[in-house]
């Protein structure tokens, strides 16, 4: 049974119930003081607790999709080692794909069948969400994706039209399921497009790590995963090869929450010739090593410089401002990053532009980010240019 299958979930819940029942039934038999009675009590407690924790873990994973398979849970990946610090050929880690078979490849459901409220009906009327695997031409990294295609993408009047595109990144350790089910990104975008509050836009939903379970923070790790190259170069090349999306950077934006928001800011400010807009909900403003990331900056003389260049406040003070527009979402109370958000916004200087969505109160959770999302998407619609070129033009 698959890790996310309902059969496994229900079976584990049944096992937990049976263990509780057996413990209650057998407990009087373990009332003595001998070794057998003591071992019986310990064994029943251990078995019951293990069954309950396993059932709760499956419930949480089914709801949040932290791990999509047994291989992912155990850190086992084809053609690549799983542990931090053990890397595959040419600095790659995590799943490895074959770009010769296409940069955008068909995928299984990836949890999409469990997302509520997705478009229903004919694509030309409701739009469509599909699942694919994006394969890096340079990195050979593989990342599952949901792709929202607006109704206009399928309408006759737009059959040669290219569309603006938003690359949306989840937080860590969550995945694309959270963007669909809990952030409700495709549902919200569809509603805004139908209401005329957002221009028709292709939205590509990705997780920010390319080497799970390691948190790669959208960084090209020396001797490790090349996450920045994947998101800054491989993803745009892959999407342009498969979908009718704009070629000009003015049609490209990033959106993310938590660590995905941090990635959105980093990628836009470091690659303003690829992305010209970024909306970041509850982001951090610098990249730091922690137990989930391992050593992101390598060793040697370049280590300090690399760490500085991933500190956005340092970049604003010491480097020319990029020609990008950014939106930061934060809350005055309930989130720890409000002072950092204010400092970042105050440090922005032309030609970079910055705006904000500031709630009076909001915690670091989906309830807060769902409140901020409509404003962020409407802002993104105003910030991205609708492509003038059509299919057949370079």
């Amino acid at each position: 049974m698959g890790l996310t299958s309902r059969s496994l979930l229900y079976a584990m819940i049944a096992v937990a119930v049976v263990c509780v029942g057996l413990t209650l039934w057998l407990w009087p038999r373990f009332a003595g003081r001998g070794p057998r009675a003591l071992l019986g009590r310990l064994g029943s407690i251990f078995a019951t607790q293990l069954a309950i924790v396993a059932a709760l873990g499956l419930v949480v994973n089914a709801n949040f999709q932290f791990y999509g398979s047994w291989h992912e849970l155990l850190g086992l990946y084809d053609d690549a080692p799983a542990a931090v610090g053990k890397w595959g050929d040419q600095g790659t880690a995590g799943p490895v794909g074959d770009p010769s078979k296409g940069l955008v490849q068909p995928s299984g459901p990836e949890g999409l069948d469990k997302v509520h409220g997705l478009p229903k009906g004919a694509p030309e009327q409701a739009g469509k969400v599909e699942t694919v695997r994006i394969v890096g031409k340079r990195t050979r990294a593989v990342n599952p994706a949901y792709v929202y295609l607006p109704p206009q993408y399928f309408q006759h009047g737009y059959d040669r039209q290219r569309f603006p595109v938003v690359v949306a990144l989840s937080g860590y350790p969550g995945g694309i399921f959270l963007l669909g089910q809990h952030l409700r990104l495709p549902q919200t975008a569809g509603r805004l497009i139908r209401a005329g509050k957002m221009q028709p836009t292709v939205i590509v939903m990705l997780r920010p790590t390319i080497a799970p379970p390691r948190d790669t923070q959208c960084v090209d790790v020396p001797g490790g995963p090349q996450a920045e190259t994947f998101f800054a170069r491989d993803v745009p090349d892959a999407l342009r090869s498969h979908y009718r999306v704009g070629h000009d950077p003015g049609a490209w934006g990033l959106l993310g929450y938590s660590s995905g928001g941090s990635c959105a800011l980093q990628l836009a400010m470091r690659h303003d010739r690829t992305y010209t807009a970024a909306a970041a909900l509850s982001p951090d403003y610098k990249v730091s090593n922690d137990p989930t990331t391992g050593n992101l900056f390598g060793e040697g003389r370049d280590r300090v410089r690399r760490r500085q260049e991933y500190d956005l406040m340092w970049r604003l003070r010491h480097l020319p401002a990029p020609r990008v527009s950014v939106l930061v979402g934060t809350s005055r109370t309930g989130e720890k990053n409000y002072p950092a958000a204010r400092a970042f916004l105050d440090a922005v200087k032309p030609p970079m532009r910055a705006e904000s969505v500031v709630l009076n109160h909001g915690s670091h959770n989906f309830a807060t980010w769902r409140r901020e999302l409509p404003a962020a998407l409407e802002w993104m619609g105003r910030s991205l240019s609708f492509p003038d070129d059509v299919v057949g033009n370079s």
Side-chain angles (χ1 to χ4, degrees):
M1 289 183 284
L3 180 62
T4 59
S5 70
R6 291 189 178 273
S7 298
L8 177 63
L9 174 61
Y10 295 150
M12 200 64 243
I13 292 174
V15 169
V17 171
V18 169
C19 285
V20 171
L22 286 174
T23 298
L24 293 174
W25 182 51
L26 295 173
W27 196 258
R29 300 187 182 186
F30 303 142
R33 295 185 177 181
R36 294 181 61 183
L38 178 60
L39 291 175
R41 290 196 295 270
L42 290 175
S44 62
I45 291 173
F46 176 79
T48 301
Q49 294 289 338
L50 181 63
I52 291 173
V53 169
L56 289 175
L58 288 172
V59 169
V60 171
N61 190 63
N63 193 37
F64 289 97
Q65 292 285 306
F66 292 123
Y67 299 99
S69 67
W70 291 108
H71 273 65
E72 192 168 321
L73 175 65
L74 298 173
L76 303 175
Y77 301 96
D78 294 338
D79 301 321
V84 171
K86 295 174 66 178
W87 308 112
D89 185 41
Q90 296 181 348
T92 61
V96 176
D98 183 359
S100 67
K101 297 180 180 179
L103 303 181
V104 178
Q105 301 176 4
S107 176
E110 301 289 352
L112 187 65
D113 53 335
K114 301 175 185 177
V115 176
H116 302 297
L118 293 176
K120 294 182 179 180
E124 61 271 17
Q125 297 176 348
K128 178 183 178 183
V129 181
E130 59 185 27
T131 59
V132 297
R133 298 165 72 241
I134 295 180
V135 180
K137 181 168 62 176
R138 299 166 185 83
T139 63
R140 298 185 67 210
V142 180
N143 221 351
Y146 295 163
V147 180
Y148 167 75
L149 302 170
Q152 292 81 358
Y153 193 90
F154 303 97
Q155 294 172 5
H156 179 68
Y158 291 85
D159 55 4
R160 296 185 65 234
Q161 178 64 55
R162 299 187 187 276
F163 289 82
V165 58
V166 173
V167 175
L169 301 173
S170 69
Y172 176 86
I176 55 177
F177 176 81
L178 302 185
L179 290 164
Q181 176 67 10
H182 295 286
L183 189 62
R184 302 187 66 76
L185 178 52
Q187 301 91 321
T188 305
R191 174 171 55 82
L192 293 175
I193 291 171
R194 289 193 299 272
K197 296 181 178 180
M198 180 183 180
Q199 63 185 348
T201 303
V202 173
I203 300 177
V204 182
M205 291 157 268
L206 293 159
R207 64 189 180 192
T209 178
I210 64 169
R214 186 180 191 181
D215 183 6
T216 46
Q217 289 280 325
C218 299
V219 170
D220 278 352
V221 181
Q226 302 297 286
E228 184 172 1
T229 296
F230 178 80
F231 288 107
R233 303 183 67 187
D234 284 346
V235 168
D237 284 350
L239 298 178
R240 293 187 186 106
S241 74
H242 192 80
Y243 295 103
R244 300 197 318 273
V245 295
H247 287 181
D248 187 84
W252 284 74
L254 294 147
L255 181 147
Y257 66 86
S258 191
S259 58
S262 306
C263 281
L265 290 179
Q266 290 281 352
L267 290 166
M269 291 179 64
R270 291 172 62 86
H271 300 276
D272 56 347
R273 295 186 179 182
T274 301
Y275 300 103
T276 56
L281 311 180
S282 304
D284 290 322
Y285 300 94
K286 65 179 180 179
V287 175
S288 302
N289 290 332
D290 64 38
T292 67
T293 66
N295 183 358
L296 294 173
F297 308 113
E299 303 295 343
R301 292 177 298 178
D302 291 340
R303 181 178 184 178
V304 173
R305 176 188 59 80
R306 289 176 57 80
R307 186 172 62 247
Q308 287 176 332
E309 290 181 353
Y310 284 100
D311 183 333
L312 297 185
M313 293 299 296
W314 185 92
R315 295 185 69 88
L316 289 174
R317 296 188 185 108
H318 297 91
L319 299 178
R323 193 175 296 275
V324 296
S325 298
V326 299
L327 176 75
V328 171
T330 187
S331 305
R332 290 186 177 87
T333 60
E335 289 200 75
K336 297 179 180 179
N337 71 345
Y338 179 64
R342 289 191 57 180
F344 174 81
L345 292 167
D346 289 342
V348 170
K349 55 184 179 293
M352 184 176 173
R353 296 182 299 171
E355 298 180 66
S356 63
V357 176
V358 181
L359 303 180
N360 287 328
H361 180 81
S363 300
H364 197 82
N365 57 34
F366 285 103
T368 296
W369 301 324
R370 283 195 298 268
R371 293 170 61 195
E372 297 168 339
L373 181 62
L377 287 174
E378 291 182 33
W379 174 88
M380 189 68 72
R382 297 190 299 270
S383 300
L384 300 181
S385 58
F386 202 85
D388 293 328
D389 59 328
V390 296
V391 174
N393 291 352
S394 59

